[in-house]
Amino acid sequence: MMRHHVILRVITKVLIGPIILFAFYVQFHGDYSPGGGFQAGVIFAVAFILHGLVFGLSTVQKVMPPKWVHKLIALGLLIYAGTGFAGLFMGGQFLEYNVLAHDPIHGQHNGILIIELGVGMTVAAVMIAIYYAFAARPPRISDEEW
Amino acid sequence: MEILINILLFAIMVACAMAIAKIRHLFAVVMLSGAFSLLAALLFVTLDAVDVAFTEAAVGAGISTVLMLGTIALTVRREKPSYRSSFVPLLVVILTGAVLVYGTLDMPNFGDPNAVVHQHVGPEYIERIPKEVDVPNFVTAILASYRGFDTLGEVAVVFTAGIGVVLLLSGLGAKARRPKILAQNSDNNEASS
């Protein structure tokens, strides 16, 4: 916990909103501009990691409890695989998006949007979970020693 | 102009790499490796590979730097000086480098329109994507639609890695086991008494 870094704390508070907004932009605009689930997930996780670095692990874990993070890891993969099975049940092949809407192009758009959401969820949750796992162990170097 | 930028970026990257090899203070090493990743991302931008640059900047320069710093906080700040002879490692590095350079001799020239990738795979995707997927970002179309299985596998890999780290480091297993051990102990106590 960085009690003494006033500038860092103020800048972090200003930055976290735009970072999360940018993550959503990269996530849902991935069909039109560079980006997609992987990048968006990492950027989304960065917002929480930044918050954790500056305000401490216990504060960020109030916003995003480890229990939720662990469930999100699985949920993202399930959404992806579930989209594949949805294609299967709607008369297509596994991961065939053409059947997900009334016409193939819309089906492709829907499929890509949904699986990218799954990718983003898993990646973001994994990154946050790894950060929690590292940060939760008692450090051997105190804050002042850096 | 582009060649000049490339040479400049590569020169700074080599300088970074040498500094990383020399410096013993691990905090500086981690920061330099973050800078190295950012330079690599810039190189990808000059190659028009914006998606890869994005990933490199976010993962290489962002997350892995933070994780490395977290690791330093758990271990030590300085690298232990090594007194062993560096002859064998040097030989291995030079040999590997020579093999890699030899491998590049067979590669098509940079931007060569006659390269294999530009002959049938690339044009076919460029022709098919507007008709079949209709998404302006072809990288997304290929990754999410044509290569959907591969991406599913990739997500599964990320999932497995995350679960592995959580199980190894966060002590969830220990927490789950402790009550059982206590219960067993109390059983034993009851049995002995």
Side-chain angles (χ1 to χ4, degrees):
Chain A
M1 176 79 121
M2 299 180 180
R3 273 257 161 267
H4 38 286
H5 297 300
V6 180
I7 294 174
L8 272 183
R9 278 168 33 215
V10 172
I11 296 288
T12 305
K13 275 184 190 168
V14 175
L15 273 182
I16 281 177
I19 290 177
I20 292 184
L21 195 63
F22 185 60
F24 281 124
Y25 167 75
V26 173
Q27 171 82 54
F28 294 111
H29 213 256
D31 310 1
Y32 298 92
S33 58
F38 278 97
Q39 293 91 334
V42 172
I43 295 169
F44 192 75
V46 161
F48 287 92
I49 292 174
L50 183 66
H51 192 268
L53 283 175
V54 174
F55 295 102
L57 190 65
S58 53
T59 320
V60 72
Q61 283 188 342
K62 271 179 211 154
V63 185
M64 180 66 91
K67 263 188 196 171
W68 292 12
V69 175
H70 297 154
K71 288 189 176 83
L72 278 179
I73 294 178
L75 184 65
L77 187 61
L78 280 176
I79 287 176
Y80 198 139
T83 315
F85 281 111
L88 209 58
F89 287 128
M90 287 166 86
Q93 291 169 336
F94 188 69
L95 283 176
E96 186 183 337
Y97 310 140
N98 285 352
V99 291
L100 292 180
H102 48 90
D103 67 311
I105 297 279
H106 269 109
Q108 288 284 346
H109 287 185
N110 290 352
I112 290 175
L113 208 65
I114 295 168
I115 66 132
E116 290 281 10
L117 188 68
V119 173
M121 248 183 216
T122 294
V123 171
V126 164
M127 294 297 165
I128 296 174
I130 293 177
Y131 168 69
Y132 280 0
F134 272 75
R137 300 177 79 81
R140 284 175 57 176
I141 301 174
S142 70
D143 199 12
E144 280 75 29
E145 257 187 272
W146 286 96
Chain B
M1 189 61 198
E2 206 185 308
I3 288 182
L4 208 69
I5 293 174
N6 282 344
I7 290 174
L8 188 73
L9 286 176
F10 271 120
I12 306 176
M13 278 173 93
V14 170
C16 266
M18 284 178 167
I20 288 173
K22 268 282 162 219
I23 293 176
R24 294 264 170 264
H25 199 280
L26 290 175
F27 183 74
V29 169
V30 169
M31 285 302 151
L32 277 172
S33 68
F36 188 89
S37 285
L38 214 55
L39 289 167
L42 284 177
L43 263 180
F44 288 133
V45 172
T46 63
L47 288 170
D48 277 344
V50 206
D51 280 271
V52 190
F54 217 142
T55 316
E56 180 66 39
V59 178
I63 297 263
S64 53
T65 307
V66 170
L67 291 183
M68 292 279 201
L69 287 180
T71 316
I72 292 181
L74 298 180
T75 54
V76 287
R77 274 183 309 159
R78 285 195 159 271
E79 191 181 337
K80 274 187 198 152
S82 159
Y83 299 109
R84 279 195 221 152
S85 147
S86 52
F87 177 72
V88 178
L90 187 69
L91 196 74
V92 170
V93 167
I94 287 176
L95 271 180
T96 316
V99 168
L100 288 176
V101 170
Y102 175 71
T104 59
L105 295 181
D106 272 350
M107 275 171 67
N109 283 333
F110 175 64
D112 182 7
N114 296 320
V116 184
V117 272
H118 301 310
Q119 285 304 315
H120 59 280
V121 185
E124 199 189 319
Y125 276 133
I126 292 171
E127 197 186 321
R128 281 173 62 180
I129 286 173
K131 272 186 262 161
E132 293 179 356
V133 187
D134 194 26
V135 160
N137 184 359
F138 285 8
V139 178
T140 300
I142 292 174
L143 283 183
S145 187
Y146 292 101
R147 294 278 174 269
F149 263 113
D150 295 4
T151 311
L152 178 61
E154 255 178 90
V155 176
V157 167
V158 172
F159 170 80
T160 318
I163 294 292
V165 169
V166 168
L167 286 180
L168 284 175
L169 283 183
S170 70
L172 281 181
K175 258 180 231 158
R177 237 174 284 131
R178 216 168 289 139
K180 250 186 221 167
I181 295 170
L182 285 178
Q184 274 175 357
N185 284 349
S186 61
D187 284 356
N188 290 346
N189 289 344
E190 276 165 29
S192 61
S193 63

